[in-house]
Amino acid sequence: MAASIKEVAQRAGVSLGTVSNVLNRPDAVAPQTRQRVLEAIKELGYVRNDSARQLRAGRSRTVAIVVLDVSNPFFTDVVRGAETVVEAAGGMLVVCSSGEDAARERHHLDLLEEQRVRGLLITPVGDDHHDRLERLVARGIPVVLVDRGSGHSHRCSVAVDDRLGGRLAAEHLVECGHRAVAFVGGPLAIPQVADRHAGAAAALAEHGADLRVLETRSLTVAAGRQAAESICALPPAQRPTALFCANDLLALGVLQGLTVGGLRVPQDIALVGYDDIEFAGAAAVPLTSVRQPREQLGRTAAQMLLEEAENDGDHDHRHVVFQPQLVVRQSTAGAQHPPG
């Protein structure tokens, strides 16, 4: 069995209070006594129950982040940015993945509420999350939305202007001579996906063109391959000349599927992704992509969360919106397509 603090006190010949001081306020204990207690701790293999101590003090050092898909490199980079800030503040970041499943998201939130985490960073599955997050805030657990606008003046958020990102992608394809453009992504119920589609659709409408939609069930490489199979099955006259994918994983899957189907990128079909993950530039045909400041999203969200946690309610809520950038690579830098 694990040694107790009482056993440490007995081995060192001191009071429980002295052992507590050595653990929490070592400068308040005489050097010889402190050394005796530390030796007893080492001999007995005592490990303090920090979670219990934090709960008694009403202050956890654990911050949680709930993302849509932990396997998506975009969220890996967001987590890395948040983790840097949390660890520098002496805390620990716990990562949960909802898998784009609202029920699974609620389950994670229930467990995190029971654990009394210091704060929560979250990219919600949909828009129906306000009441559940308000319950956490009422419990004293601050919440910051990541990669999503808040819509509420009393909740911080960090996001990217996805409508602008969609516009950048579509305008680039128009400049390359494309008018037969399709959007690949889904579910469209995900706000980021909807915003990227809306931005691209508005840009194309200004040029007198419509944006066709090929909705996918998820934002994965496998979903991209399935979308490519559908595109390859179309007669050439009905086939789009350019594709804008809602994220890079979809675009990578589309690239694989088009290649297997005998279509060349960009000569037959131009391709634009979103996020500019590391794999985008390393693809067989390097992807043109809309870059998001992934680690900066995580760092900024974590800084805002810790500020709110430290100020105990006296906090100036902020809504930070970053601007995306278009990174042009070979997947669109091919033959020009005449308007049509």
Side-chain angles (χ1 to χ4, degrees), residues 26-38:
D27 292 342
V29 182
Q32 289 183 338
T33 303
R34 184 169 66 241
Q35 185 60 35
R36 199 161 69 245
V37 171
L38 292 175

PDB file of all heavy atoms in Angstrom, residues 26-38:
ATOM      1  N   PRO A  26       8.404  24.870   2.270  1.00  0.00           N
ATOM      2  CA  PRO A  26       9.666  24.331   2.793  1.00  0.00           C
ATOM      3  C   PRO A  26      10.537  25.371   3.486  1.00  0.00           C
ATOM      4  O   PRO A  26      11.285  25.027   4.411  1.00  0.00           O
ATOM      5  CB  PRO A  26      10.354  23.770   1.541  1.00  0.00           C
ATOM      6  CG  PRO A  26       9.689  24.443   0.390  1.00  0.00           C
ATOM      7  CD  PRO A  26       8.283  24.677   0.811  1.00  0.00           C
ATOM      8  N   ASP A  27      10.438  26.629   3.112  1.00  0.00           N
ATOM      9  CA  ASP A  27      11.267  27.659   3.742  1.00  0.00           C
ATOM     10  C   ASP A  27      10.880  27.906   5.195  1.00  0.00           C
ATOM     11  O   ASP A  27      11.656  28.508   5.956  1.00  0.00           O
ATOM     12  CB  ASP A  27      11.153  28.976   2.968  1.00  0.00           C
ATOM     13  CG  ASP A  27      11.786  28.877   1.584  1.00  0.00           C
ATOM     14  OD1 ASP A  27      12.581  27.945   1.375  1.00  0.00           O
ATOM     15  OD2 ASP A  27      11.465  29.717   0.714  1.00  0.00           O
ATOM     16  N   ALA A  28       9.686  27.446   5.577  1.00  0.00           N
ATOM     17  CA  ALA A  28       9.226  27.657   6.950  1.00  0.00           C
ATOM     18  C   ALA A  28       9.751  26.590   7.912  1.00  0.00           C
ATOM     19  O   ALA A  28       9.477  26.644   9.111  1.00  0.00           O
ATOM     20  CB  ALA A  28       7.693  27.668   6.989  1.00  0.00           C
ATOM     21  N   VAL A  29      10.506  25.610   7.408  1.00  0.00           N
ATOM     22  CA  VAL A  29      10.998  24.496   8.225  1.00  0.00           C
ATOM     23  C   VAL A  29      12.525  24.580   8.310  1.00  0.00           C
ATOM     24  O   VAL A  29      13.198  24.861   7.317  1.00  0.00           O
ATOM     25  CB  VAL A  29      10.584  23.140   7.607  1.00  0.00           C
ATOM     26  CG1 VAL A  29      11.044  21.986   8.483  1.00  0.00           C
ATOM     27  CG2 VAL A  29       9.066  23.092   7.409  1.00  0.00           C
ATOM     28  N   ALA A  30      13.049  24.334   9.521  1.00  0.00           N
ATOM     29  CA  ALA A  30      14.504  24.349   9.724  1.00  0.00           C
ATOM     30  C   ALA A  30      15.177  23.344   8.784  1.00  0.00           C
ATOM     31  O   ALA A  30      14.640  22.250   8.564  1.00  0.00           O
ATOM     32  CB  ALA A  30      14.833  24.009  11.162  1.00  0.00           C
ATOM     33  N   PRO A  31      16.348  23.693   8.241  1.00  0.00           N
ATOM     34  CA  PRO A  31      17.006  22.824   7.250  1.00  0.00           C
ATOM     35  C   PRO A  31      17.200  21.384   7.717  1.00  0.00           C
ATOM     36  O   PRO A  31      16.962  20.438   6.941  1.00  0.00           O
ATOM     37  CB  PRO A  31      18.344  23.522   7.005  1.00  0.00           C
ATOM     38  CG  PRO A  31      18.058  24.966   7.293  1.00  0.00           C
ATOM     39  CD  PRO A  31      17.077  24.965   8.424  1.00  0.00           C
ATOM     40  N   GLN A  32      17.637  21.174   8.966  1.00  0.00           N
ATOM     41  CA  GLN A  32      17.878  19.809   9.433  1.00  0.00           C
ATOM     42  C   GLN A  32      16.575  19.019   9.505  1.00  0.00           C
ATOM     43  O   GLN A  32      16.520  17.839   9.118  1.00  0.00           O
ATOM     44  CB  GLN A  32      18.556  19.838  10.805  1.00  0.00           C
ATOM     45  CG  GLN A  32      20.007  20.316  10.752  1.00  0.00           C
ATOM     46  CD  GLN A  32      20.665  20.250  12.119  1.00  0.00           C
ATOM     47  OE1 GLN A  32      20.000  20.253  13.170  1.00  0.00           O
ATOM     48  NE2 GLN A  32      22.002  20.195  12.124  1.00  0.00           N
ATOM     49  N   THR A  33      15.519  19.667   9.990  1.00  0.00           N
ATOM     50  CA  THR A  33      14.217  18.994  10.081  1.00  0.00           C
ATOM     51  C   THR A  33      13.682  18.700   8.677  1.00  0.00           C
ATOM     52  O   THR A  33      13.143  17.615   8.417  1.00  0.00           O
ATOM     53  CB  THR A  33      13.215  19.870  10.838  1.00  0.00           C
ATOM     54  OG1 THR A  33      13.743  20.173  12.131  1.00  0.00           O
ATOM     55  CG2 THR A  33      11.879  19.154  10.989  1.00  0.00           C
ATOM     56  N   ARG A  34      13.836  19.652   7.793  1.00  0.00           N
ATOM     57  CA  ARG A  34      13.370  19.472   6.416  1.00  0.00           C
ATOM     58  C   ARG A  34      14.078  18.300   5.757  1.00  0.00           C
ATOM     59  O   ARG A  34      13.454  17.471   5.085  1.00  0.00           O
ATOM     60  CB  ARG A  34      13.616  20.758   5.621  1.00  0.00           C
ATOM     61  CG  ARG A  34      13.068  20.691   4.188  1.00  0.00           C
ATOM     62  CD  ARG A  34      13.067  22.055   3.506  1.00  0.00           C
ATOM     63  NE  ARG A  34      14.412  22.553   3.295  1.00  0.00           N
ATOM     64  CZ  ARG A  34      14.896  23.674   3.800  1.00  0.00           C
ATOM     65  NH1 ARG A  34      14.141  24.436   4.590  1.00  0.00           N
ATOM     66  NH2 ARG A  34      16.138  24.066   3.548  1.00  0.00           N
ATOM     67  N   GLN A  35      15.386  18.176   5.972  1.00  0.00           N
ATOM     68  CA  GLN A  35      16.148  17.087   5.391  1.00  0.00           C
ATOM     69  C   GLN A  35      15.687  15.748   5.939  1.00  0.00           C
ATOM     70  O   GLN A  35      15.585  14.754   5.206  1.00  0.00           O
ATOM     71  CB  GLN A  35      17.646  17.278   5.660  1.00  0.00           C
ATOM     72  CG  GLN A  35      18.534  16.251   4.998  1.00  0.00           C
ATOM     73  CD  GLN A  35      18.402  16.235   3.476  1.00  0.00           C
ATOM     74  OE1 GLN A  35      18.200  17.285   2.858  1.00  0.00           O
ATOM     75  NE2 GLN A  35      18.492  15.047   2.890  1.00  0.00           N
ATOM     76  N   ARG A  36      15.362  15.710   7.246  1.00  0.00           N
ATOM     77  CA  ARG A  36      14.901  14.467   7.875  1.00  0.00           C
ATOM     78  C   ARG A  36      13.570  14.011   7.258  1.00  0.00           C
ATOM     79  O   ARG A  36      13.348  12.828   6.993  1.00  0.00           O
ATOM     80  CB  ARG A  36      14.766  14.686   9.383  1.00  0.00           C
ATOM     81  CG  ARG A  36      14.749  13.393  10.181  1.00  0.00           C
ATOM     82  CD  ARG A  36      15.082  13.607  11.631  1.00  0.00           C
ATOM     83  NE  ARG A  36      14.055  14.335  12.340  1.00  0.00           N
ATOM     84  CZ  ARG A  36      14.208  15.551  12.869  1.00  0.00           C
ATOM     85  NH1 ARG A  36      15.378  16.186  12.745  1.00  0.00           N
ATOM     86  NH2 ARG A  36      13.220  16.149  13.510  1.00  0.00           N
ATOM     87  N   VAL A  37      12.695  14.987   7.020  1.00  0.00           N
ATOM     88  CA  VAL A  37      11.398  14.658   6.420  1.00  0.00           C
ATOM     89  C   VAL A  37      11.581  14.185   4.973  1.00  0.00           C
ATOM     90  O   VAL A  37      10.958  13.201   4.549  1.00  0.00           O
ATOM     91  CB  VAL A  37      10.464  15.882   6.464  1.00  0.00           C
ATOM     92  CG1 VAL A  37       9.192  15.613   5.656  1.00  0.00           C
ATOM     93  CG2 VAL A  37      10.108  16.226   7.909  1.00  0.00           C
ATOM     94  N   LEU A  38      12.438  14.842   4.224  1.00  0.00           N
ATOM     95  CA  LEU A  38      12.672  14.451   2.835  1.00  0.00           C
ATOM     96  C   LEU A  38      13.259  13.048   2.743  1.00  0.00           C
ATOM     97  O   LEU A  38      12.920  12.267   1.837  1.00  0.00           O
ATOM     98  CB  LEU A  38      13.604  15.455   2.150  1.00  0.00           C
ATOM     99  CG  LEU A  38      13.019  16.863   1.923  1.00  0.00           C
ATOM    100  CD1 LEU A  38      14.080  17.802   1.361  1.00  0.00           C
ATOM    101  CD2 LEU A  38      11.827  16.797   0.976  1.00  0.00           C
TER     102      LEU A  38
END
